[in-house]
Amino acid sequence: MSIEQLAETARAMVAPGKGIIAIDESNATIKKRFDGVGVEDSEDNRRGYREMLLTTPKLGEYISGAILFDETLRQSTRAGVSFAKVMNDAGIIPGIKVDRGTQPLAGFPGEVVTEGLDGLRERLKEYYQLGARFAKWRAVINIGEEIPSGTCIEANSHALARYAALCQEQGLVPMVEPEVIMDGDHDIQTCYEVTEVTLRSLFDALYQHSVMLEGTILKASMVLPGSNSAERADVEEVAEATLMCLKSTVPAILPGIVFLSGGQSDEDATAHLDAMVRMGPNPWPLSFSYGRAMQSAALKLWAQDMQGNFARAQETVFSRARDNGRAALGEWIKAA
Ligand code: 13P
């Protein structure tokens, strides 16, 4: 696979006014989401829910790609059309989560390392055959008393770099995601420092592993006070801190940065992205790769009456996509 093809895919992922919908919840995570709205966690309900999301009319106007879980990439609509085909027909690039989740980092209480490198080359070959053109790997960095450790950050950066190099070898754009977790009572400055050191370590590891940044997308967390912190940061403060942190750590050659929502409210996630784009010009396109901030309203509606609310749930997905697509242009208008 040539770097030009990878770079073209990467640019398409962050095309102006478009972003990514993350629907790559593992079976353990989607069970939690379904439990929260009283839906039975069965394979057919997971399939039906993802069908509702992916067949949202005109979704491709604001959505460039969707990240799927392994099971979903192998599934089809009720009418028997594979999800990969549905997406390609809608102009939505299929993506796939390829990490296998986190495990406790031995010797470092409270810290985790993401696993999934063994056999990854073969899995990537298959995912490419199934239609995937980008792949996500999420590292988790927790903030707490005396953590994160340098060891945890380095172990996760090393794994991210090895996965990214394998993706490029197999023709998939790596979407590298070092998520600095919002949980905790830390202040925004602590989040800034942890995010800064994490991104420095990540880009150093990508360099060491000869990963081509032109064919790589960063999925970043925003710089925020901890969710249990007494401190509140307004939209401008979050946008300024996040941009400053990214500008001082992320090479300008990267084709784009997309954000995760990480537990922020739908409106906060949109407002923060919009503010960062308005503060531009920035070195790279900024957009979204939201999971919860794209889905939560639609999931609630769909859960109340799967068939009866199907169309209304899809309208909600479309409206979240449009709001976030406008935010990616710095043109979002807050509802009165
Ligand atoms: P959230 O936007 O819900 O944080 O999910 C994005 C994601 O893919 C996390 O890995």
Side-chain angles (χ1 to χ4, degrees), residues 99-266:
D99 67 69
R100 293 212 148 132
T102 61
Q103 289 293 330
L105 182 63
F108 291 83
E111 301 199 273
V112 294
V113 63
T114 301
E115 299 197 339
L117 289 171
D118 288 358
L120 181 57
R121 177 178 277 124
E122 297 312 314
R123 288 197 288 133
L124 290 170
K125 279 190 186 47
E126 189 193 7
Y127 289 141
Y128 188 94
Q129 294 299 327
L130 289 169
R133 291 296 176 267
F134 71 97
K136 187 192 97 170
W137 178 290
R138 172 172 174 262
V140 168
I141 306 296
N142 291 313
I143 300 181
E145 201 72 29
E146 304 289 320
I147 63 171
S149 64
T151 306
C152 171
I153 290 173
E154 278 166 32
N156 277 293
S157 293
H158 179 258
L160 276 161
R162 284 194 54 203
Y163 123 89
L166 280 164
C167 284
Q168 293 190 332
E169 179 193 89
Q170 296 304 322
L172 286 97
V173 171
M175 178 190 268
V176 294
E177 181 185 14
E179 176 173 359
V180 176
I181 301 291
M182 232 168 105
D183 301 352
D185 55 12
H186 52 274
D187 58 15
I188 190 169
Q189 182 60 26
T190 304
C191 180
Y192 185 106
E193 286 161 17
V194 170
T195 306
E196 181 179 29
V197 70
T198 298
L199 290 172
R200 280 201 200 296
S201 163
L202 171 63
F203 282 95
D204 182 48
L206 294 175
Y207 175 71
Q208 297 293 340
H209 288 255
S210 294
V211 173
M212 297 172 284
L213 296 186
E214 306 90 312
T216 302
I217 294 287
L218 172 66
K219 176 157 175 167
S221 42
M222 297 184 196
V223 176
L224 299 157
S227 45
N228 295 325
S229 163
E231 184 190 6
R232 287 282 147 255
D234 64 24
V235 170
E236 272 61 42
E237 197 180 343
V238 170
E240 272 171 18
T242 304
L243 272 182
M244 171 95 81
C245 189
L246 292 170
K247 283 182 187 171
S248 70
T249 53
V250 181
I253 197 168
L254 205 79
I257 301 175
V258 293
F259 293 99
L260 59 97
S261 56
Q264 301 179 55
S265 71
D266 291 4

Side-chain angles (χ1 to χ4, degrees), residues 263-285:
Q264 301 179 55
S265 71
D266 291 4
E267 184 174 312
D268 281 356
T270 304
H272 289 148
L273 172 61
D274 182 68
M276 284 187 270
V277 176
R278 284 178 198 257
M279 286 172 186
N282 292 311
W284 351 250

Side-chain angles (χ1 to χ4, degrees), residues 27-37 41:
N27 282 353
T29 303
I30 197 73
K31 179 175 187 323
K32 256 194 272 171
R33 305 270 189 266
F34 278 4
D35 285 351
V37 291
D41 178 41

